[in-house]
Amino acid sequence: MLLVFNRVGERNPNHTVPRLQELTRHLWQGERQRGGHHFYDGKIPIIATGLNQLCQHGPAGPVFFRFGRDHPQPLLEAIGNPRREAADIREQEEDQARAAQYQAQVWRAAQEPAAKQAAEREARRPFCTGCGTPGCDRPGTRSTPRSSPR
């Protein structure tokens, strides 16, 4: 909800806005979360500005006060929740890092038996008595099985 105040008549927006904040607190006040942001689901963003400020700075200027915040912001920031968005991004990055770490552990665990099997296969391969190369095909040489370690 956007409230635009025009200083016409005896009502002073500097007194009206705080009164409106108190009367409507249950409609707009979010719940503070661990990450320092607020959870606003089910709440109505109430934003106030003055017509003079709007004319002076334009609709893209930092002239919008969201109830519960202490400084003017551009409209898109006032209706958004940048701290929650940052917290969501941090949480997503942490989830991705945990998933990558888990995948690396799974990969290492899968490689250990495969490496052990490859070493056992290599140990069973015959080698050339002439040059010591496993599986040598040179004429005049012969391959013999390796002796198993004791």
Side-chain angles (χ1 to χ4, degrees), residues 37-38 76-77 79-92:
H37 63 281
H38 286 79
L76 293 179
E77 289 180 25
I79 62 174
N81 192 352
R83 287 187 194 159
R84 179 177 179 185
E85 292 165 6
D88 288 347
I89 289 170
R90 273 193 312 274
E91 185 177 330
Q92 184 179 22

Side-chain angles (χ1 to χ4, degrees), residues 33-67:
Q33 303 296 307
R34 277 187 295 133
H37 63 281
H38 286 79
F39 187 68
Y40 292 108
D41 286 5
K43 301 297 180 177
I44 301 169
I46 301 178
I47 300 161
T49 189
L51 189 58
N52 292 340
Q53 288 184 331
L54 198 54
C55 289
Q56 184 179 5
H57 298 285
V63 297
F64 300 95
F65 287 90
R66 181 170 178 164
F67 284 11

Side-chain angles (χ1 to χ4, degrees), residues 60-146:
V63 297
F64 300 95
F65 287 90
R66 181 170 178 164
F67 284 11
R69 296 186 185 169
D70 59 357
H71 60 283
Q73 299 173 295
L75 183 59
L76 293 179
E77 289 180 25
I79 62 174
N81 192 352
R83 287 187 194 159
R84 179 177 179 185
E85 292 165 6
D88 288 347
I89 289 170
R90 273 193 312 274
E91 185 177 330
Q92 184 179 22
E93 289 171 350
E94 290 169 0
D95 288 347
Q96 289 173 345
R98 278 192 297 273
Q101 185 179 22
Y102 175 74
Q103 288 297 327
Q105 287 176 343
V106 168
W107 185 83
R108 282 192 301 271
Q111 294 305 309
E112 289 174 10
K116 186 176 179 181
Q117 289 173 352
E120 289 172 356
R121 267 194 317 273
E122 185 63 27
R124 288 191 305 267
R125 267 179 88 188
F127 68 98
C128 176
T129 56
C131 66
T133 307
C136 180
D137 295 352
R138 291 189 320 183
T141 60
R142 106 189 139 112
S143 294
T144 59
R146 297 180 187 216

